[in-house]
Amino acid sequence: NLRFKDDRLDIRSGNIKADQSGVQFSGVYKRGNIPRLDLNLTAGTLNIDEFMPEPQGKKTSLMDHLKHSDFFSKGKGEIRFSLDKLNYKHLILDQVAGGIFLNNREIKIKDLVFGSNSSIKSGGKISMDAKDVAHFEGSVQAHKMETKNLFGFFGDMFENSLSGNVEMVDARLKGSGEDWEGVLRSLAGSLSLDIQSGNIDQEKLKRGVRRLFGSSPQANPLEKENAS
C-alpha cells in the first residue's frame, strides 16, 4: 500500500518475506539533499543473514558499503522494531524491541528491550570519521539473573564459561579500523562481573568472544575488573 506525493513516499503497510523471515512494516521515505527513511517493523521473525549474506569471491565489507553510500553520508534514518524473533549470525533474540538511528555518518542501536530478559540492557554504535576510519562501540549490562539466561542468546558459543547467579555484569568493547577486519583486530574493552555461588572459566569466555566476532582480537580483549 504505497502513496507518492512530491518527494515523499508513504508505505502504509507491507510485508518482508523470505525462507526464514516474515515481518510487517510501514514507513516514510523522503528524497532531497538530506534524504530520510523512517521505518517500523512489527511482529514476525527477521533473519538478517538472509538479507546480508556472506560475500562470495572478492570481499565487499560493511565498511565498503558505508563508505560508498550517499544515504549513509548525507541521510538520516530511524528504524523502530518490535519482533517475535531476531536472528543475526550467532545471535538468537526472542521478543526484542529497539531502534536503529542514522545521523551524521553514525549508526546507533539503542533502547533495546528483551521480553524474556528484562534485566539486560544493550546498545552500540558504529561511525565513520572524515578519513573513513570506522569506530565501533558496544556494551551489555545486566543484573540479578542466571548465567544460562545471560548467554542463552548465543547458543553453546560460550561453553558454560560462567555458572551461578549474576548479581551484575557490565561489558564494554571498542575498536577502530579502516575495514571491519581492522576493527575486529583492534577490539579491546572491559568486563566487570559479580557472580554469586558460581565459577568463571576465563579461557572459555575469551574463546566465546573470539567466536562471536569471527576473528582473533588482540590478546586479552576483555580485562576482568571484578568477579566474586
Side-chain angles (χ1 to χ4, degrees):
N1 195 347
L2 304 176
R3 180 183 178 186
F4 295 92
K5 185 177 180 180
D6 299 326
D7 290 330
R8 176 185 172 116
L9 169 64
D10 286 275
I11 308 170
R12 295 181 178 179
S13 65
N15 291 281
I16 300 173
K17 291 186 177 180
D19 290 342
Q20 301 176 44
S21 300
V23 176
Q24 299 174 4
F25 72 94
S26 61
V28 176
Y29 175 71
K30 296 179 181 178
R31 295 186 299 178
N33 294 330
I34 305 177
R36 182 176 180 92
L37 174 66
D38 293 283
L39 280 180
N40 291 298
L41 305 178
T42 57
T45 296
L46 179 62
N47 187 335
I48 298 177
D49 292 324
E50 289 190 289
F51 304 97
M52 296 178 62
E54 292 293 332
Q56 300 296 322
K58 184 179 179 180
K59 290 186 176 180
T60 302
S61 69
L62 171 63
M63 300 306 171
D64 291 327
H65 287 303
L66 293 180
K67 288 177 183 178
H68 298 97
S69 169
D70 285 339
F71 187 80
F72 176 73
S73 298
K74 302 175 182 178
K76 296 183 178 182
E78 179 177 324
I79 300 175
R80 291 281 184 179
F81 55 90
S82 180
L83 302 171
D84 298 324
K85 181 173 286 189
L86 175 65
N87 296 342
Y88 178 59
K89 297 190 182 302
H90 302 293
L91 283 173
I92 303 172
L93 306 177
D94 293 319
Q95 301 298 319
V96 61
I100 302 172
F101 304 86
L102 167 65
N103 187 29
N104 195 27
R105 288 167 62 91
E106 180 178 86
I107 297 173
K108 288 185 178 180
I109 301 175
K110 60 181 184 179
D111 303 331
L112 289 178
V113 177
F114 305 97
S116 60
N117 291 280
S118 59
S119 63
I120 295 178
K121 294 182 179 180
S122 180
K125 69 177 181 179
I126 185 167
S127 60
M128 198 85 68
D129 65 22
K131 296 182 179 180
D132 284 342
V133 175
H135 305 276
F136 167 82
E137 294 181 22
S139 65
V140 177
Q141 294 85 36
H143 64 279
K144 295 189 181 302
M145 64 185 305
E146 294 182 20
T147 53
K148 65 179 182 181
N149 293 329
L150 176 62
F151 285 156
F153 298 142
F154 307 105
D156 63 352
M157 183 176 300
F158 286 92
E159 305 176 277
N160 298 318
S161 57
L162 298 179
S163 64
N165 296 315
V166 176
E167 289 295 310
M168 180 279 297
V169 59
D170 185 352
R172 301 174 186 271
L173 281 174
K174 290 184 178 182
S176 298
E178 294 184 354
D179 53 29
W180 188 238
E181 291 183 356
V183 172
L184 293 175
R185 286 194 298 268
S186 73
L187 281 177
S190 62
L191 174 63
S192 298
L193 285 170
D194 184 354
I195 297 179
Q196 303 297 321
S197 304
N199 297 296
I200 304 172
D201 188 319
Q202 295 186 48
E203 290 306 315
K204 287 184 178 180
L205 190 60
K206 291 174 185 176
R207 283 201 300 269
V209 172
R210 288 193 289 268
R211 290 177 63 195
L212 175 61
F213 288 97
S215 181
S216 296
Q218 293 176 339
N220 300 323
L222 295 177
E223 298 175 0
K224 181 169 60 66
E225 293 182 349
N226 181 35
S228 62

